[in-house]
Amino acid sequence: MKFKILLLAALAMFFVGCAPKTSAFSIDPSWTEKPAKLTVLFTDPVVENQDDLKDDLAEFVNNFHDWFGSELAKNYSTVTKSSIPLDVQRADAASFTVQADSIGKMEVKVPKPANLSDGYTLAIANVNFSRKEESHTNQAYYNSGAAYGQGVNPGQNSMAFAGESIVEKGLWLSADYAIYNAAGQRVAFGHHAIKSKFQYAMTRSDWERCVTAFVKKSLAGTPVLR
């Protein structure tokens, strides 16, 4: 089946630690009907930094899947404006098969549930939350001449005094997903890596922003939003 590539965004970054994959998704151009029903199946997410979970979502340390499922349900309802019936369910990872496919140069592990609903099914797998730091060259430091001992007016270029590199902190959510019709035909699939940046400390809102962004991206450009 030939798929139309809608997005392939490369992130040119240097990471402290292991970086999530870039984001891409593909939608079958023959898919034009708005689903009468959408079932969302998700496998248990992985949280790499358990201390962060204890700090921000302490009540869900032992049942993080409950928080994740409720956030998915809330956001899919909001994004679709409750225009179609939604059913969000936790699924056993063993009930999914995984097929390797690619979008451009990116390989995606495409999940498929053993049982599909009578409407459309959106399968989400390989969900990973991780706190990471990214280091970027501070161009203002070099462009201003501060790196070479030149005098700089801090009111005009305060970033010149931030040093030769800038470190950004963020919570990442990465996941693979696919959408199937009732006949089992895959009509969309992709991978998204979402980041919520924070300056000092991570909070519950960073986790929420990551899920919200993922939900929006998983349905972007699809007939679900028509």
Side-chain angles (χ1 to χ4, degrees):
M1 181 184 299
K2 184 177 180 181
F3 280 79
K4 179 181 178 183
I5 297 175
L6 296 187
L7 176 65
L8 182 56
L11 305 176
M13 297 178 180
F14 295 96
F15 291 89
V16 178
C18 184
K21 293 189 296 183
T22 54
S23 293
F25 69 90
S26 178
I27 300 175
D28 183 349
S30 68
W31 179 25
T32 59
E33 66 171 348
K34 182 181 177 72
K37 175 185 177 183
L38 180 65
T39 298
V40 179
L41 301 178
F42 69 94
T43 58
D44 286 359
V46 172
V47 178
E48 291 188 7
N49 314 96
Q50 286 294 312
D51 287 344
D52 294 330
L53 184 56
K54 293 176 183 177
D55 290 340
D56 302 331
L57 295 161
E59 67 272 37
F60 294 104
V61 168
N62 297 318
N63 58 335
F64 183 66
H65 54 268
D66 286 343
W67 176 86
F68 185 62
S70 65
E71 286 296 305
L72 288 177
K74 177 180 68 177
N75 281 282
Y76 276 114
S77 179
T78 299
V79 170
T80 61
K81 298 180 180 178
S82 301
S83 60
I84 58 174
L86 288 167
D87 186 14
V88 179
Q89 302 177 18
R90 179 189 180 198
D92 188 340
S95 68
F96 281 19
T97 56
V98 178
Q99 176 185 2
D101 207 330
S102 61
I103 302 174
K105 294 182 179 180
M106 179 190 290
E107 183 174 297
V108 179
K109 296 179 180 179
V110 185
K112 184 175 184 178
N115 298 309
L116 300 173
S117 74
D118 54 357
Y120 279 70
T121 302
L122 194 164
I124 304 171
N126 305 316
V127 182
N128 183 280
F129 286 86
S130 59
R131 171 173 46 83
K132 298 187 182 298
E133 294 183 351
E134 305 163 1
S135 180
H136 307 276
T137 298
N138 183 8
Q139 291 298 333
Y141 178 68
Y142 293 97
N143 294 341
S144 68
Y148 314 106
Q150 298 180 18
V152 179
N153 184 338
Q156 295 177 342
N157 200 342
S158 60
M159 289 302 296
F161 298 97
E164 62 183 23
S165 63
I166 298 173
V167 176
E168 291 185 347
K169 301 176 182 180
L171 174 67
W172 283 91
L173 161 60
S174 62
D176 299 302
Y177 72 97
I179 303 175
Y180 300 88
N181 61 22
Q185 177 188 15
R186 189 179 71 197
V187 294
F189 73 103
H191 172 93
H192 287 304
I194 311 294
K195 179 179 69 171
S196 177
K197 293 192 297 183
F198 56 90
Q199 188 170 3
Y200 300 111
M202 196 165 73
T203 65
R204 179 186 291 251
S205 62
D206 292 294
W207 302 77
E208 294 170 346
R209 280 194 289 268
C210 282
V211 178
T212 298
F214 173 80
V215 167
K216 290 179 178 178
K217 287 179 178 294
S218 69
L219 295 182
T222 71
V224 177
L225 301 184
R226 293 177 185 168

